[in-house]
Amino acid sequence: MAFKGFRYFFFIMVLACLGLAFFLLKFIDICIYSQRRNFLHLPDIDCRRTPPFLVLLVTSGPGQLKARMAIRQTWGKHRLVAGNRIVTYFLLGITTKESDLVDITFESQKYRDIIQKDFMDSYYNLTLKTMMGIEWVHIFCSQSRFVMKTDTDMFVNIFYLSELLLKKNRNTRFFTGFLMMNAQPIRCRGSKWYVSEAEYPASTYPPFCSGTGYVLSTDVVSQIYNISESVPFIKLEDVFIGLCLAKLKIKPEELHSERTFFLHKVGFSICLFRKIVTSHKVKPYELLIYWEELEKSKDEKCPYV
């Protein structure tokens, strides 16, 4: 009789646990759904099932379709690199042109790689755009290992970047890119990068990495998201991220003993581009040419090999 009572009790407890698990799963789904409503467009990925090794977040504008198409055909194409999954998504705001909204909706439905919210798309909202990407990773893709923020006018060597990240073997509190040390605010009103003393009174910025391309471990993404509202807003997104890092006491560091991130446009050569991570001011047609040349010459030897 006691054994039957125990079996009955055990059966009830199993049902209760299953019911609690079902409730928790539903609760999580409801929370995710409520967070989804803040976004106009979201990419088609479930990071819980297929966590990426590297998520590339590319700041873009509604009128930059040619650049996005070139990236989709080259370094932004979803692929496995040494068995590690790499995915690319584009960060966009909105414009006042109704045709832009229609075009972006069509593009998002076709490629499923756009993240968008309803702030105005402008250079001075780049911090909002970048934080939108940070928020998306924190909510929907915290299972990834690394995140890279970059721009549409960049060449990115995802193969060499992946190789260096694996060699570095740093999965936490890691932030790298083109290091900017002791940079000073530009007080000239005519400058694109003008920052008033009211916006930022100090004479130097904390260490940060150029917004042309920086890479961080995903735990840092969540930490930045969690403290970002307590950091004074500044329109220069790379400086704002640097302010967040300073508050978190995370120091940007070099990825490699030799320079791999470049602020300027690097003259193309096959051997050189195999050993850099980024080059700036690359036009869409140039990107397609560079990539094709690199693909064709995979078996060619370079002096450093």
Side-chain angles (χ1 to χ4, degrees), residues 126-139:
L126 200 49
T127 297
L128 293 180
K129 187 179 285 187
T130 300
M131 287 308 301
M132 173 182 69
I134 294 284
E135 179 184 7
W136 180 83
V137 172
H138 172 73
I139 295 171

Side-chain angles (χ1 to χ4, degrees), residues 131 224 227-228 231 239-249:
M131 287 308 301
I224 289 173
I227 60 101
S228 59
V231 175
V239 173
F240 179 78
I241 296 297
L243 292 170
C244 292
L245 295 176
K247 183 157 190 172
L248 294 166
K249 294 181 168 54

Side-chain angles (χ1 to χ4, degrees), residues 104-133:
I104 293 301
T105 297
F106 176 78
E107 186 181 347
S108 178
Q109 290 172 347
K110 184 174 182 179
Y111 296 104
R112 303 291 182 180
D113 60 1
I114 287 176
I115 300 171
Q116 186 184 40
K117 279 191 170 186
D118 62 350
F119 56 85
M120 291 306 297
D121 198 295
S122 72
Y123 178 78
Y124 294 115
N125 275 340
L126 200 49
T127 297
L128 293 180
K129 187 179 285 187
T130 300
M131 287 308 301
M132 173 182 69

Side-chain angles (χ1 to χ4, degrees), residues 72-227:
R72 287 179 180 119
Q73 295 173 60
T74 57
W75 56 263
K77 186 175 182 179
H78 292 206
R79 71 185 80 219
L80 292 176
V81 175
N84 294 303
R85 191 176 185 213
I86 298 178
V87 295
T88 301
Y89 301 116
F90 298 98
L91 308 178
L92 283 84
I94 63 170
T95 70
T96 55
K97 290 175 62 178
E98 188 174 338
S99 59
D100 282 342
L101 299 177
V102 173
D103 290 344
I104 293 301
T105 297
F106 176 78
E107 186 181 347
S108 178
Q109 290 172 347
K110 184 174 182 179
Y111 296 104
R112 303 291 182 180
D113 60 1
I114 287 176
I115 300 171
Q116 186 184 40
K117 279 191 170 186
D118 62 350
F119 56 85
M120 291 306 297
D121 198 295
S122 72
Y123 178 78
Y124 294 115
N125 275 340
L126 200 49
T127 297
L128 293 180
K129 187 179 285 187
T130 300
M131 287 308 301
M132 173 182 69
I134 294 284
E135 179 184 7
W136 180 83
V137 172
H138 172 73
I139 295 171
F140 298 107
C141 207
S142 60
Q143 299 83 1
S144 58
R145 284 178 65 183
F146 296 99
V147 174
M148 179 178 191
K149 181 269 165 186
T150 189
D151 299 329
T152 47
D153 62 347
M154 299 295 293
F155 167 87
V156 180
N157 186 337
I158 54 170
F159 302 101
Y160 193 46
L161 173 59
S162 299
E163 178 186 328
L164 292 176
L165 287 173
L166 290 169
K167 283 182 180 177
K168 194 77 173 179
N169 196 26
R170 287 281 307 281
N171 294 323
T172 60
R173 294 182 66 81
F174 179 66
F175 194 99
T176 190
F178 186 94
L179 271 59
M180 307 290 286
M181 309 295 289
N182 301 311
Q184 297 179 333
I186 294 174
R187 303 300 191 193
C188 175
R189 289 182 179 274
S191 171
K192 179 181 179 181
W193 302 282
Y194 166 72
V195 173
S196 69
E197 290 189 10
E199 289 177 275
Y200 187 80
S203 60
T204 59
Y205 294 130
F208 66 96
C209 289
S210 165
T212 53
Y214 51 78
V215 180
L216 55 163
S217 53
T218 304
D219 67 305
V220 178
V221 170
S222 290
Q223 290 176 58
I224 289 173
Y225 176 77
N226 288 328
I227 60 101

Side-chain angles (χ1 to χ4, degrees), residues 153-154 263-265 279-283 286:
D153 62 347
M154 299 295 293
L263 290 182
H264 60 274
K265 184 172 185 173
S279 175
H280 194 196
K281 296 183 179 178
V282 178
K283 294 179 173 63
E286 292 175 318

